[in-house]
Amino acid sequence: MGKKLKKMAVVFAAALAAAISGGCGPSVPKLNVYMWSDYIDPDIVQKFEDENGCEVVISIFDSNESMYAKLKAGGTGYDVILPSSYMAKVMNDEKMIETLDLSKLPNVKNINSEYMKKLALDKTFKYSVPYMICYSCVAYDKGKCPNLPDTWGVFGDSKYRGRMTLLNDYRETIGAALKANGYSLNTRDDSELEKAKETLLKWKPNLARLDNEGYKSGVQSGEFVVVHGYSGDLYQVLEESKNLAVMIPKEGVSLSCDDWVIPADSKNKDLAYAFINYMCDPESAAANMEVTKYLSPVDGASKLMSDENAKSVVIPKAVYENGEMIIDLGEDNAKYLKIWDEIKISQ
């Protein structure tokens, strides 16, 4: 675990210990945030707590689908959630989240207008506010994988058998196989999806496992030599592991944004609005980018970063040229889930 990740773990462990010990002195309002791991600067969380006289309790999910399933199964108690854009749309369509009151979010004026026009799924902040833009890519050990080709096809190379991982996420990983075959990662075509399934069945014997979290420490320790992951996660690891490099497959990758939303059953909506608004401040966005290595769409934030980190969050031209935003496919999601079940049970 790198220094920044250790820092985050220590801060959140301290917050948990304080919550457990509790009982001494007046209670403070609690804001329950449900989000991805290693995805926010603990110092910014602390500043928000100090300025608002509250406690932020962060719970973690490892995929959009696991988060959605938990909520649909009756999971409650969250005030702010951070799904990807396509899942935020699903949650809005199913009336799981608030229609936002923009009078309580003055800082959305800082969100880049070109992002909103060209990439955002919710172009008017009706139900969501963008937090970070990311893309999927591959990290690898330069010494153990010299001259690694820039293609998804590396997962079909038995030379690295047992030392590679793909994301445990059906849209990301089926999407990678679709891209490997020259198709859209949002296809609804049965023959194209069947071809992607065949590709994944060929790749699977070479994998150590499907993984959404351990790939970061695994590639850093040398347990894995090629991993599929999210850009910011991998650049966090690269910062402290000079033997690693990032490869962006030439066939194209997923491009996505994670968006703040307020669940319909939030008990602290005013505090939730305050938190989201705080994250849209350029200073907050800059601090979060420094730690996470993802790109914020908040205008002016990059100018407040260190030169080195400002360069690391720039999305390469190739990603924009060949990348695709994951969109919700409605009833056709079932096609992907069927393939995913077949992949996971295959030997």
Side-chain angles (χ1 to χ4, degrees):
M1 182 183 290
K3 293 178 182 176
K4 285 190 173 71
L5 304 191
K6 287 179 181 176
K7 179 183 177 185
M8 285 190 252
V10 169
V11 170
F12 293 137
L16 178 62
I20 293 172
S21 61
C24 298
S27 61
V28 297
K30 284 187 174 64
L31 183 75
N32 291 289
V33 179
Y34 197 23
M35 64 184 294
W36 306 88
S37 66
D38 306 329
Y39 207 22
I40 198 166
D41 180 2
D43 291 340
I44 289 296
V45 174
Q46 183 67 60
K47 285 179 65 177
F48 178 81
E49 290 176 325
D50 293 343
E51 292 178 22
N52 290 272
C54 68
E55 178 186 349
V56 176
V57 179
I58 294 180
S59 301
I60 300 301
F61 59 81
D62 67 358
S63 74
N64 285 289
E65 287 66 36
S66 65
M67 174 273 296
Y68 174 80
K70 181 175 181 178
L71 297 180
K72 294 298 281 187
T76 60
Y78 303 113
D79 301 301
V80 179
I81 304 177
L82 190 60
S84 296
S85 297
Y86 78 91
M87 185 57 73
K89 182 181 183 301
V90 172
M91 295 167 76
N92 176 65
D93 291 345
E94 297 187 11
K95 304 188 186 311
M96 298 168 67
I97 56 179
E98 284 280 295
T99 296
L100 297 176
D101 179 353
L102 296 185
S103 70
K104 297 180 179 179
L105 295 167
N107 281 341
V108 297
K109 70 179 185 296
N110 298 324
I111 303 295
N112 181 268
S113 60
E114 285 299 298
Y115 168 78
M116 295 303 295
K117 186 191 307 180
K118 294 180 179 178
L119 293 177
L121 298 186
D122 177 14
K123 296 185 182 301
T124 61
F125 309 108
K126 177 183 177 183
Y127 56 83
S128 64
V129 174
Y131 175 55
M132 292 287 179
I133 305 167
C134 74
Y135 55 94
S136 60
C137 52
V138 174
Y140 66 97
D141 187 306
K142 293 182 290 186
K144 295 169 183 172
C145 308
N147 304 313
L148 193 78
D150 59 340
T151 172
W152 287 114
V154 297
F155 290 99
D157 191 339
S158 60
K159 179 169 32 175
Y160 307 118
R161 186 168 186 153
R163 304 191 70 186
M164 299 192 289
T165 67
L166 282 165
L167 285 169
N168 188 15
D169 182 297
Y170 78 98
R171 291 301 305 274
E172 289 284 0
T173 293
I174 296 175
L178 286 166
K179 282 294 188 185
N181 286 288
Y183 306 137
S184 166
L185 53 75
N186 294 307
T187 187
R188 302 170 189 265
D189 183 272
D190 291 336
S191 63
E192 293 179 354
L193 286 166
E194 183 64 24
K195 183 67 174 176
K197 182 182 82 171
E198 292 171 3
T199 296
L200 285 174
L201 288 173
K202 291 176 182 176
W203 289 355
K204 189 178 178 185
N206 294 328
L207 303 180
R209 61 176 180 262
L210 298 166
D211 186 280
N212 282 354
E213 285 296 327
Y215 70 84
K216 292 176 284 188
S217 59
V219 74
Q220 195 170 24
S221 68
E223 177 186 2
F224 310 133
V225 297
V226 179
V227 297
H228 174 207
Y230 299 109
S231 55
D233 284 350
L234 297 179
Y235 282 112
Q236 287 174 37
V237 172
L238 259 65
E239 184 179 45
E240 298 169 8
S241 302
K242 303 307 179 185
N243 61 309
L244 302 178
V246 160
M247 180 268 282
I248 300 173
K250 61 187 176 185
E251 301 92 345
V253 298
S254 70
L255 181 65
S256 62
C257 187
D258 295 312
D259 300 339
W260 299 113
V261 302
I262 300 176
D265 61 357
S266 167
K267 299 295 191 295
N268 291 294
K269 289 180 181 174
D270 285 342
L271 198 55
Y273 275 107
F275 181 83
I276 295 172
N277 194 59
Y278 199 81
M279 295 303 143
C280 296
D281 178 81
E283 289 190 5
S284 298
N288 285 328
M289 284 195 289
E290 291 273 5
V291 168
T292 69
K293 305 298 186 288
Y294 290 100
L295 175 65
S296 169
V298 172
D299 280 336
S302 294
K303 295 178 182 178
L304 302 175
M305 297 176 67
S306 64
D307 290 343
E308 181 180 355
N309 283 334
K311 291 176 183 176
S312 74
V313 301
V314 173
I315 294 180
K317 183 180 179 182
V319 172
Y320 282 121
E321 290 178 342
N322 299 318
E324 276 189 275
M325 293 285 284
I326 294 175
I327 63 173
D328 175 51
L329 299 173
E331 293 181 357
D332 285 326
N333 284 327
K335 295 180 179 181
Y336 284 72
L337 287 168
K338 181 176 182 295
I339 288 173
W340 193 237
D341 287 342
E342 292 171 1
I343 295 298
K344 295 192 85 168
I345 65 174
S346 68
Q347 298 300 316

